[in-house]
Amino acid sequence: MSKSKDFTLGLISGALVGSAIALLYAPDKGSNTRDVLSYRLSNYLDELTHLIDKLSDEKKSISEAKRKGDLVVEDAKDRAEDLIREAEDLLNTIEDTKEGENKAD
């Protein structure tokens, strides 16, 4: 499992266990306990929604960074290929010049 799934599972499990313990040891009336549980559950859901949104934004940022990185690599590849072609052309020109000089001798 990924870290975010483990965290989410832990968050939900903790909320459920905490709720069960609160019910077992509740010194208050049932209506008060339900109100407290409802409030806490609402807070947990808000936190969970916030975390999901944050993870989604981070995923988008990572995807954008990967895309930009791929573009940089592709550009570097193209430039390296161009340099290799230029070097080969220069080498061919030098070889042609030497052959011409050898024929002239």
Side-chain angles (χ1 to χ4, degrees), residues 6-84:
D6 287 343
F7 177 78
T8 304
L9 183 62
L11 181 69
I12 292 171
S13 299
L16 291 175
V17 169
S19 298
I21 290 173
L23 285 174
L24 293 174
Y25 290 101
D28 251 346
K29 292 177 15 179
S31 62
N32 290 342
T33 302
R34 283 190 297 275
D35 289 341
V36 168
L37 288 176
S38 175
Y39 174 75
R40 286 185 182 173
L41 182 59
S42 176
N43 282 344
Y44 290 141
L45 289 175
D46 288 345
E47 286 180 30
L48 185 59
T49 302
H50 176 71
L51 287 172
I52 290 171
D53 290 343
K54 187 175 178 182
L55 288 173
S56 176
D57 291 343
E58 288 178 8
K59 181 181 176 184
K60 288 177 187 174
S61 296
I62 291 170
S63 295
E64 180 65 18
K66 182 183 180 313
R67 185 187 69 77
K68 286 181 180 179
D70 290 344
L71 289 175
V72 168
V73 168
E74 188 64 32
D75 184 49
K77 235 185 201 181
D78 291 342
R79 288 182 184 196
E81 288 173 359
D82 289 344
L83 286 173
I84 289 171

